[in-house]
Amino acid sequence: SPVTPKKAVITVEASIAIPLFLFAVISILSFLDILRIQMNLDSALHQVASEMAVYGFAADQTGNGNLAVSTILSETYVRKKVNELAGKEYLDNSCIHKGSGGISYLGSRIMEQDKIVLRASYQVDPVVPVIGFQSFTLSSKACVRAYTGYDVLEKSNRNEEEEIVFITETGTAYHKN
């Protein structure tokens, strides 16, 4: 049977529309994968920062130290912990350029003004690079105040007397002179 002009037009439309539809679906899935990576790294960074905050007292007692040493130590420790928490294999097979090795933690600081600030920056490659949606850089940040404890010496050096009040179960208050 001969091909009619209507059938040829539908075939041409389908040959244009189906690839465009598939491209749109792949682009949306690629974007969702990038969001998933971002959420996993945010979660891992926050968890590592919270863990490091617990050790803030020990770092506070040894002094703030050298900023370069702090940066190198944070880079090494944070990289190891994030790879454990997020999964090194997962990061290596993700859309991050160069996998887990492509994540830089150089903006991280430990115990700067009693804070632990972890920064991760990385470049992501979409599944289908096109004009306007090519590789771009993302960053994540987690900031936690270190658990340095209560400074008793500072309070005693101010020579302030603290009034102690005893309250009974009935609500009566007794002051101690």
Side-chain angles (χ1 to χ4, degrees):
S1 77
V3 177
T4 62
K6 283 185 180 182
K7 288 183 181 179
V9 169
I10 293 173
T11 304
V12 171
E13 286 178 1
S15 67
I16 294 172
I18 290 175
L20 287 176
F21 175 75
L22 291 175
F23 170 74
V25 169
I26 290 172
S27 295
I28 290 170
L29 291 176
S30 177
F31 179 71
L32 292 175
D33 189 42
I34 292 169
L35 285 177
R36 185 179 69 155
I37 293 287
Q38 181 82 15
M39 289 185 341
N40 285 343
L41 282 177
D42 282 348
S43 175
L45 276 180
H46 182 72
Q47 194 167 349
V48 171
S50 296
E51 180 182 309
M52 291 174 82
V54 173
Y55 302 113
F57 179 75
D60 189 50
Q61 296 303 312
T62 60
N64 287 339
N66 187 348
L67 185 61
V69 172
S70 171
T71 302
I72 291 168
L73 290 176
S74 64
E75 165 86 22
T76 305
Y77 181 76
V78 172
R79 179 177 301 281
K80 178 180 176 273
K81 292 303 284 184
V82 167
N83 284 345
E84 281 179 22
L85 294 170
K88 185 172 179 2
E89 185 177 331
Y90 167 72
L91 293 174
D92 288 339
N93 294 322
S94 68
C95 57
I96 296 175
H97 186 71
K98 297 182 183 176
S100 63
I103 303 172
S104 173
Y105 302 98
L106 289 179
S108 300
R109 299 286 181 260
I110 298 175
M111 297 305 294
E112 189 173 299
Q113 298 176 348
D114 287 343
K115 290 182 186 172
I116 295 171
V117 179
L118 302 181
R119 290 188 171 110
S121 59
Y122 50 95
Q123 191 171 8
V124 293
D125 299 322
V127 174
V128 182
V130 294
I131 297 172
F133 191 52
Q134 295 182 359
S135 297
F136 56 96
T137 303
L138 290 175
S139 63
S140 296
K141 177 181 174 182
C143 182
V144 178
R145 182 164 297 280
Y147 303 142
T148 56
Y150 178 75
D151 192 356
V152 179
L153 297 176
E154 182 182 330
K155 182 88 172 158
S156 66
N157 288 339
R158 285 190 271 158
N159 293 329
E160 293 180 10
E161 287 191 29
E162 196 173 304
E163 185 178 0
I164 299 174
V165 178
F166 298 99
I167 301 176
T168 64
E169 289 181 8
T170 61
T172 308
Y174 294 96
H175 299 273
K176 182 177 180 180
N177 293 336

